[in-house]
Amino acid sequence: MTAPACMRGGTVRHPDRPTDGPIVARTAQMLGKPLIPWQRYVADVAGEIDPATGTYYYDTVVVSSPRQCGKSTLIDTEDTRNALLSPDRKIYYLAQTGKDAENHFKEYAEQLAKSRLAPLALKPRRSNGGMEQRFANGSFIRPLAITKVAGHGTQMDKFTLDEAFSLTKDVGNTILDGLTPTMNTRAKLTGVQPQMWITSTEGTAESTFFNDRLDRLRAGDVPRRTCWFDFGAPPDVDPEDLDEVMRWHPAAGLLWDTKQLRDFRAQFDDNVAGWARAFLNRRDTGMAERIIPADLWDATAIAPLNPEDMRGTPLVFGVDVDVDATHTSISAGMRLPDGSVATQLVTVLDGTGGAPAEIVRICRKYDAPLIMDCKGPSSDLHNRLRQLDEQGEPLLRFCELSAGDYLAVGQSYVSGLRNGVIRHAADTDLDLSAENSARSFSGDSWRISRRASMGLTSPLESAMLAAWGANHMPEPAGLQIY
Ligand SMILES: Nc1ncnc2c1ncn2[C@@H]1O[C@H](COP(=O)(O)OP(=O)(O)OP(=O)(O)O)[C@@H](O)[C@H]1O
Ligand SMILES: [Mg+2]
């Protein structure tokens, strides 16, 4: 069998090797879901037998395909076949969360119980956290949360990482490091080559585990015992051209039709990148645009400022906390003699625990007021500082910042950069933060959001607040550096 036309890349069938594919196909029929052509092709190649050993040629199978393709169903069929291959086989289905794996497992167990293979299966165990389908021959299939496996040397004859896009490289590799040695032990014991299946739709820039593997395979760096399959639309296909999407989706017209595709499309609304990822199997690297374009950012950098040289300069400190309170950033905003404002990132602290002490110290040292949001991720820190302030001597002076002001802070900073009245002291943490910051709109105004789910926005936000504070400080002195 030749590869389906919608295969973008992958392993060709070696016709000189026998294959277990026909038995997988028969298993699928008996389960009531006969393989569709792409599933059959994968079964034939992945099931190739090494004439030298009489067991599976491949130890690793990588499948990249769009959503709603029949990936998880193919895994069920392969797992069932594998369970029946010999007694006491240990098969695991790992998904993003235990719940995903278990929900999928329940459907499979029901399907099996109703199928012609039911007589070979025992009653499934369905208790949460301990689900298992056992067969009369002693083999079992178990669903597991991917994270449960990390670092454990569980013995496995076959396991699948389904939805592998959800893994970072660290987590994925930790899992594999724990499992690979036990697979070698099982190979010796059972005489059957264990297989690891990694299946997924393309992910995002954060899918570092799957991206890295796919990129290497696509570049031709294919280990001898790995077979791989990459289905999806070519790069020039327009995601909105549903006829073309149908043409390149391996399950189109087989598991669903054009009308259903239109419904799938509607679910994604204006999220075109998400749609293209799901149904064209296109990686979603398109993070939102950065708030401050790189050229504007570079053009408005100035050399770092030394506070000792800034005596007499009105100064304010902007404070911001990242989502989930992972970091606290403090920036200084200074009004320079020419009327322009310079911001400088002072420090990025871990968490918020040590922040009050540092904020009090720095504000007192420079006798400068403080500006921060009293809502959102900063609200807890804000409350703690207010309480400190209310206990006895006034330690801090807060700049006023209404909710309406807060929404204008970002836009005002960007305009200031454009108009040459705001500049930022060069700092690599601040550069990274500017690179990582996108905007999310609420009505006409916007606030900062992260472009990727990693990276900090608090350094840039603290700078924006500091600039706002410097521009809105009450005029009289008293805000001087002593
Ligand atoms: N060969 C088949 N015959 C009949 N139905 C099938 C077959 N393969 C898959 N299906 C059905 O098609 C639907 C999608 O299949 P499945 O969930 O396996 O796809 P998937 O690629 O894992 O999708 P997702 O990416 O959304 O998890 C399911 O309802 C499944 O039962
Ligand atoms: Mg699936």
Side-chain angles (χ1 to χ4, degrees):
M1 186 182 180
T2 53
C6 54
M7 191 160 108
R8 291 190 293 211
T11 306
V12 293
R13 169 91 175 90
H14 287 75
D16 50 320
R17 295 181 197 142
T19 175
D20 194 48
I23 303 183
V24 177
R26 182 96 186 97
T27 307
Q29 273 169 359
M30 295 183 76
L31 282 169
K33 290 186 179 166
L35 300 181
I36 58 176
W38 82 266
Q39 292 172 327
R40 177 63 196 259
Y41 182 75
V42 171
D44 280 350
V45 177
E48 283 180 9
I49 305 293
D50 186 346
T53 60
T55 180
Y56 291 126
Y57 184 87
Y58 295 108
D59 60 19
T60 303
V61 181
V62 179
V63 179
S64 150
S65 91
R67 298 280 319 274
Q68 288 300 303
C69 211
K71 286 185 296 301
S72 304
T73 305
L74 176 63
I75 295 165
D76 294 337
T77 305
E78 291 279 353
D79 286 356
T80 311
R81 161 61 188 142
N82 206 280
L84 300 174
L85 197 58
S86 61
D88 301 323
R89 296 184 61 74
K90 305 171 194 302
I91 298 161
Y92 288 84
Y93 172 81
L94 316 182
Q96 193 168 357
T97 68
K99 207 155 160 277
D100 290 338
E102 292 187 347
N103 286 341
H104 179 77
F105 173 82
K106 282 187 214 155
E107 278 174 37
Y108 163 70
E110 270 167 38
Q111 181 197 345
L112 179 65
K114 284 187 281 186
S115 79
R116 285 156 64 197
L117 292 174
L120 302 179
L122 306 183
K123 195 165 171 294
R125 211 165 66 195
R126 290 166 197 271
S127 52
N128 287 343
M131 296 198 183
E132 178 186 270
Q133 175 67 60
R134 241 176 221 277
F135 292 81
N137 68 357
S139 296
F140 66 72
I141 300 173
R142 284 183 195 161
L144 266 189
I146 277 174
T147 45
K148 283 261 165 64
V149 192
H152 297 283
T154 315
Q155 299 219 330
M156 301 190 181
D157 293 302
K158 175 176 190 292
F159 75 90
T160 302
L161 300 177
D162 199 10
E163 310 295 9
F165 78 86
S166 65
L167 300 173
T168 61
K169 213 164 163 180
D170 278 353
V171 174
N173 287 341
T174 308
I175 294 171
L176 299 194
D177 288 350
L179 294 180
T180 318
T182 74
M183 293 193 101
N184 294 331
T185 317
R186 292 296 295 174
K188 286 211 184 70
L189 198 71
T190 64
V192 179
Q193 171 61 50
Q195 280 190 333
M196 160 175 82
W197 286 55
I198 300 174
T199 56
S200 190
T201 298
E202 283 267 19
T204 66
E206 291 154 61
S207 310
T208 46
F209 172 73
F210 196 56
N211 291 351
D212 189 54
R213 275 188 178 251
L214 265 187
D215 292 346
R216 274 186 285 139
L217 294 170
R218 285 176 180 153
D221 179 7
V222 184
R224 199 162 69 93
R225 298 287 177 177
T226 294
C227 61
W228 69 290
F229 310 89
D230 184 18
F231 296 99
D236 55 337
V237 168
D238 172 7
E240 303 292 11
D241 184 343
L242 295 193
D243 290 337
E244 278 292 287
V245 177
M246 283 295 282
R247 183 172 153 215
W248 293 103
H249 193 299
L254 298 165
L255 300 182
W256 38 262
D257 56 22
T258 312
K259 187 184 159 298
Q260 278 165 294
L261 188 71
R262 256 185 240 117
D263 294 342
F264 290 142
R265 174 67 193 89
Q267 286 165 20
F268 284 84
D269 202 14
D270 62 357
N271 179 9
V272 181
W275 162 251
R277 174 176 100 74
F279 280 80
L280 290 81
N281 198 22
R282 206 171 268 175
R283 192 172 304 168
D284 180 3
T285 50
M287 293 181 288
E289 295 230 328
R290 40 187 291 173
I291 293 180
I292 305 168
D295 48 358
L296 175 61
W297 184 249
D298 293 345
T300 48
I302 53 174
L305 302 166
N306 180 356
E308 298 309 319
D309 301 339
M310 306 291 296
R311 291 181 187 282
T313 308
L315 178 71
V316 55
F317 289 107
V319 173
D320 193 73
V321 176
D322 270 285
V323 173
D324 300 329
T326 57
H327 295 83
T328 306
S329 294
I330 307 176
S331 281
M334 290 153 280
R335 208 153 63 217
L336 305 179
D338 67 359
S340 71
V341 165
T343 64
Q344 172 153 14
L345 181 62
V346 177
T347 185
V348 180
L349 305 168
D350 279 337
T352 60
E358 179 59 11
I359 291 167
V360 168
R361 188 190 70 76
I362 199 167
C363 286
R364 293 194 96 183
K365 176 170 177 194
Y366 294 99
D367 189 28
L370 168 68
I371 180 165
M372 66 188 296
D373 186 21
C374 60
K375 297 216 199 69
S378 295
S379 68
D380 178 59
L381 178 60
H382 185 263
N383 288 342
R384 277 188 281 150
L385 290 168
R386 281 278 187 203
Q387 276 164 13
L388 271 186
D389 208 30
E390 281 155 14
Q391 296 161 1
E393 57 173 325
L395 300 164
L396 296 166
R397 282 177 293 139
F398 287 86
C399 292
E400 272 200 36
L401 182 72
S402 69
D405 288 346
Y406 179 67
L407 281 171
V409 160
Q411 186 53 52
S412 152
Y413 192 79
V414 180
S415 307
L417 292 175
R418 283 232 159 79
N419 300 332
V421 293
I422 295 179
R423 276 162 297 170
H424 57 95
D427 183 288
T428 47
D429 283 336
L430 186 62
D431 289 346
L432 267 180
S433 182
E435 191 183 321
N436 184 54
S437 296
R439 65 184 97 195
S440 58
F441 282 86
S442 87
D444 284 341
S445 47
W446 51 262
R447 51 190 303 162
I448 291 192
S449 60
R450 294 185 290 191
R451 294 173 75 207
S453 74
M454 291 164 288
L456 307 182
T457 58
S458 68
L460 182 64
E461 291 196 83
S462 67
M464 290 174 161
L465 286 162
W468 177 275
N471 274 324
H472 293 82
M473 276 189 296
E475 273 310 325
L479 306 172
Q480 315 274 319
I481 297 176
Y482 290 106

